Every structure is written in C-alpha cells, then in structure tokens.
Amino acid sequence: MRNACDYRVSFDLTPYGDLAFLEAFAPDTPKTAPAAPSEASGSETADAQLATVPFFKNFQADLVELHARALESLVCRCGREPRWHCAKADLLLNPISKQRLASASDPRSALKGYLVAASLATNFFSDMVSVGDIIDQSSLVRLSQCLVKVGAHVAAAVLYQCFMPEEFKYGLRILRLAPESHDNAFFQYFWELPFLEMLVDLHSSPKYLNERHVTLLTNLIQSPELNSSNPAPVVKDAEQRILRCYFRDLCRIYLGN
C-alpha cells in the first residue's frame, strides 16, 4: 500500500486502538526532543512543520518506529507466541522504504522468523499436526519469497504444492529461474507430478543437462507413495509427512547456525 508521502507500508496501523496497544507494549525509550530553532527562522520552521506532507511523513515515521520497537519487545516478552515472530518477519521482508530507493529488506532474517513462527505453531512439526491446516497461504507465500531471495528456488517451489492446482504455475515459474543452481536435496519433497515432470524436462535439456538429477527424479516419479491409484487418506498422509520433513530440513539449514 502506498500513501501520499511516497512510502510503502506492509501493515495497517489503525488510529487509537493499535496505537494504544503499541504504546502499552513498546519499550520506554522516549525520543530526544530536537533543539529549539532560532528566532530568525522560527516562523519559517513552524510553517514547514505544519505543512501537510512533512506532517504525515513525520507522523508515519514515528508510528513505524513505534511499531518496530513494540514488536521487538513482544518477541522478547512472549517468545513462544508465533504471531509476533511472524509480524517481525513481515517487517524484515517488507520494511518501510522511500519510493524509488533500494529497500532494506532482510530476507534471510525474515526467513528465520517465519520458520520460528511455523515451528512454534506446529509444536516443531509434530506428527499429530497438519502443517497445511495451521500455516495460512499468505504466510507460505511470504516464506517462499524469502527462499527465492536467498537463492533456494527448489525449496521455494515446494510450497506451491500446498495451494490449488491453478496456482502451481507460480511454483513452476520459480523452478525455471535458475535451473543450474537447483539443490537436488529438495527434490524428495515434491509429491505433485507437474513439478517433478518440469524438473525432469529442465535437467534433460542440453542447456541444463544433469543425468544424476534426471535419474533421481525418475525414481521419485516411480515411487509407490506417488501412485495415483492410492486411496485419498494414504495420499494425504504421505503429503503431510513429506511437508513435515521439508520444514524440519529448512529449520536445520537456516536455524541451525
């Protein structure tokens, strides 16, 4: 969302209610008051401060700073609450930035935040928990964006299997971004044939030929777990098991150091 001040924001700050909430939980670190202007320039400074655009810029900047400090405080005080880790990750992935200037996005830190939130929400991906039923689609999309930005294209594409078939095309598009850097360790987490077939096609082509990858993918396609004649409950259980292993692997890679 963009406002009149040419800022991009990734969250809504409703007046009064949210502001009171943030004030209640933000650390008590008041900003230092600016020095008083000289008498000669007092009138001009006052006029500038009352101008509409500077007023909104300063007002929003204060709210953004307050929001960030509040989230830091909440993450520290309520470290086992997934939503605060997720909210902090949202800010790391889509921070406030001036229009037309490079964003200060930190996708790797955001990725860690999303994984911590997912781990807490699912009791570290317990066998008794359906990951797809707990983590919403928008969170999975943002997690996928983080993975793309850190160069983990195969891992990013895996998540699009959790969506409706008409959205598979976005995951398939991710697989085409950098086939030469595909991490074959994540091939095992595909259960939808369109993704496996796309990978076989890519790594069979002269440009990205990799016989080892093709052999691995062919074996996965022929896996009994992916047999289309399997009963629906068996297929669902296999998908959930694969997804849990996938998330545990991500946590091992990105949270292990």
Side-chain angles (χ1 to χ4, degrees):
M1 180 181 75
R2 281 185 183 152
N3 64 10
C5 307
D6 290 335
Y7 276 90
R8 178 168 53 82
V9 297
S10 60
F11 51 86
D12 293 325
L13 289 174
T14 306
Y16 309 118
D18 286 352
L19 186 57
F21 172 80
L22 294 174
E23 286 281 14
F25 285 95
D28 187 15
T29 53
K31 295 173 64 177
T32 303
S38 63
E39 294 182 1
S41 60
S43 177
E44 294 179 1
T45 303
D47 291 341
Q49 289 177 342
L50 291 175
T52 303
V53 173
F55 170 77
F56 277 113
K57 283 186 177 181
N58 294 334
F59 177 69
Q60 184 163 15
D62 289 342
L63 284 180
V64 169
E65 182 181 350
L66 179 61
H67 188 275
R69 289 191 289 115
L71 283 178
E72 286 288 352
S73 179
L74 288 167
V75 167
C76 292
R77 297 178 187 181
C78 313
R80 296 192 61 81
E81 176 55 59
R83 58 178 169 165
W84 304 134
H85 290 279
C86 192
K88 182 179 177 181
D90 286 345
L91 284 184
L92 290 168
L93 180 61
N94 294 307
I96 301 301
S97 63
K98 283 287 189 69
Q99 189 179 12
R100 295 182 296 275
L101 294 181
S103 172
S105 177
D106 187 354
R108 183 170 291 273
S109 295
L111 173 59
K112 292 180 179 181
Y114 288 130
L115 289 176
V116 169
S119 179
L120 291 170
T122 59
N123 192 22
F124 196 66
F125 314 106
S126 166
D127 292 343
M128 303 301 294
V129 174
S130 174
V131 175
D133 294 337
I134 291 180
I135 306 175
D136 61 273
Q137 180 169 335
S138 61
S139 296
L140 292 177
V141 168
R142 293 193 295 273
L143 177 59
S144 179
Q145 290 173 352
C146 292
L147 288 166
V148 169
K149 290 184 177 183
V150 300
H153 297 95
V154 178
V158 167
L159 292 170
Y160 280 86
Q161 298 175 111
C162 302
F163 308 152
M164 298 298 291
E166 55 267 25
E167 297 187 56
F168 285 1
K169 59 184 178 182
Y170 302 111
L172 297 174
R173 190 178 301 166
I174 291 173
L175 290 177
R176 296 191 189 99
L177 292 178
E180 69 281 358
S181 64
H182 279 175
D183 183 356
N184 63 355
F186 282 92
F187 289 171
Q188 62 182 312
Y189 300 123
F190 286 107
W191 64 83
E192 293 288 353
L193 288 179
F195 290 86
L196 290 167
E197 291 170 349
M198 164 66 76
L199 287 167
V200 170
D201 184 61
L202 284 171
H203 293 291
S204 299
S205 66
K207 187 175 182 180
Y208 305 112
L209 181 62
N210 190 315
E211 294 181 359
R212 183 168 174 268
H213 286 181
V214 172
T215 300
L216 174 59
L217 291 162
T218 302
N219 290 336
L220 289 171
I221 290 174
Q222 296 172 349
S223 170
E225 284 188 331
L226 301 183
N227 193 322
S228 59
S229 62
N230 286 339
V234 173
V235 173
K236 183 68 173 178
D237 287 345
E239 292 175 0
Q240 289 301 315
R241 180 188 60 77
I242 292 171
L243 199 55
R244 287 193 295 268
C245 292
Y246 162 81
F247 272 104
R248 289 169 184 163
D249 207 7
L250 285 181
C251 289
R252 178 185 60 81
I253 294 170
Y254 294 103
L255 300 181
N257 48 24

